[in-house]
Amino acid sequence: MTELVPAMRKTIFNSAADVIGDYAEIGIDAVLESDALKAIPVVGTISAVCKVGYNLHERNLIKQTIEFLRGFNEKKLDQAVIDKHRVKLEANPVEAEKELERVIILLGNHIENQQSIVLGSFYSAYVRGAISWEKFCELAEVNRRMFVNDYEILQKVYENDGMRLEGRELYPIDRLISLGLLQLRNRLGGVEIQSFDAPLVEKPDVIITSLGKTFCQHFPDTVISVKL
């Protein structure tokens, strides 16, 4: 971890967007054979640490780091914003270790590539000041516990201001509720009184929470989830 933190800092704040873009759909073996990708500091560091081959964890960390960088670079942050945060971390090694160790540990625990793209987008939002560090940590933990199909469900609820449950599997909704992203509408309490001559309006069974809205507002465009 000692070598990875400064390597991750150099990787994030030195543009690798052009290189990363060329490796969107290739497998991990092709990644490991690429001299261009090994030139990326964090990939090169992992390669140097591995004396003989790559074990499963290291292979996964490299792949997830590349996906994270794709998510981070999607928003095309202003260079002045990137430089400001880089200088902040260089001036405070303790802060850099706190931030980047968490990112590295999260990436090592991710299985789905989409999770790392989403994490990169959240970290980009943090760097540009759109969310706090505390909110980034909350979103990152929620993201770690999500399934790929959950993204599609959450986006639909967000875009449609709610969702009816008829004919749907309930366990993904229950999972999103348990993560604090959705809630049952009737939890709000109160009684709605409707005029007899007013048209009947169907209300959604589930609605999005404030945390769910923040999640969707900083969700990357490049994540492709399975359609429901």
Side-chain angles (χ1 to χ4, degrees):
M1 188 67 77
T2 302
E3 299 92 347
L4 283 180
V5 169
M8 180 63 84
R9 186 187 68 237
K10 291 178 182 178
T11 299
I12 293 174
F13 299 108
N14 292 334
S15 177
D18 294 338
V19 176
I20 295 300
D22 294 335
Y23 291 86
E25 301 297 336
I26 68 171
I28 186 63
D29 290 331
V31 169
L32 298 178
E33 294 171 0
S34 166
D35 291 335
L37 286 176
K38 285 183 180 179
I40 297 173
V42 70
V43 176
T45 297
I46 296 172
S47 300
V49 170
C50 304
K51 301 301 182 183
V52 182
Y54 298 85
N55 66 34
L56 186 60
H57 175 78
E58 290 152 350
R59 290 159 64 94
N60 184 60
L61 179 58
I62 289 174
K63 182 63 174 175
Q64 299 304 332
T65 298
I66 291 170
E67 301 300 337
F68 170 85
L69 293 173
R70 182 173 295 112
F72 180 79
N73 287 318
E74 182 186 273
K75 300 300 181 183
K76 304 296 182 185
L77 293 182
D78 186 83
Q79 190 61 45
V81 173
I82 294 176
D83 290 343
K84 180 180 179 180
H85 199 78
R86 176 180 53 78
V87 169
K88 172 189 170 184
L89 294 185
E90 288 175 347
N92 191 338
V94 174
E95 186 74 12
E97 186 171 349
K98 179 184 76 171
E99 281 190 22
L100 300 181
E101 272 193 358
R102 179 178 288 268
V103 169
I104 293 168
I105 290 170
L106 286 165
L107 291 174
N109 286 322
H110 287 172
I111 297 175
E112 303 292 347
N113 295 340
Q114 291 93 332
Q115 290 176 302
S116 297
I117 298 174
V118 172
L119 183 69
S121 186
F122 289 161
Y123 190 70
S124 173
Y126 161 65
V127 168
R128 70 176 184 269
I131 58 175
S132 67
W133 172 250
E134 291 73 21
K135 185 60 67 176
F136 167 78
C137 293
E138 185 177 16
L139 292 170
E141 177 59 22
V142 168
N143 179 58
R144 184 183 68 83
R145 296 164 61 189
M146 290 179 72
F147 291 9
V148 173
N149 284 0
D150 293 343
Y151 296 136
E152 180 75 14
I153 296 171
L154 184 63
Q155 285 179 304
K156 283 184 178 295
V157 177
Y158 177 66
E159 293 169 0
N160 298 323
D161 295 321
M163 176 181 285
R164 300 283 293 173
L165 295 179
E166 290 93 337
R168 293 187 178 275
E169 292 277 10
L170 295 182
Y171 70 88
I173 302 296
D174 289 338
R175 181 167 54 245
L176 290 169
I177 290 173
S178 72
L179 292 174
L181 299 172
L182 300 181
Q183 74 177 40
L184 296 172
R185 186 177 60 84
N186 59 15
R187 280 190 55 197
L188 297 177
V191 177
E192 295 183 22
I193 300 175
Q194 186 168 338
S195 169
F196 286 111
D197 57 355
L200 182 62
V201 178
E202 287 191 343
K203 300 292 186 179
D205 297 312
V206 294
I207 57 175
I208 197 162
T209 65
S210 60
L211 179 63
K213 289 179 181 178
T214 302
F215 193 107
C216 291
Q217 286 163 358
H218 302 293
F219 194 79
D221 297 331
T222 50
V223 168
I224 302 174
S225 53
V226 178
K227 298 297 181 182
L228 298 180

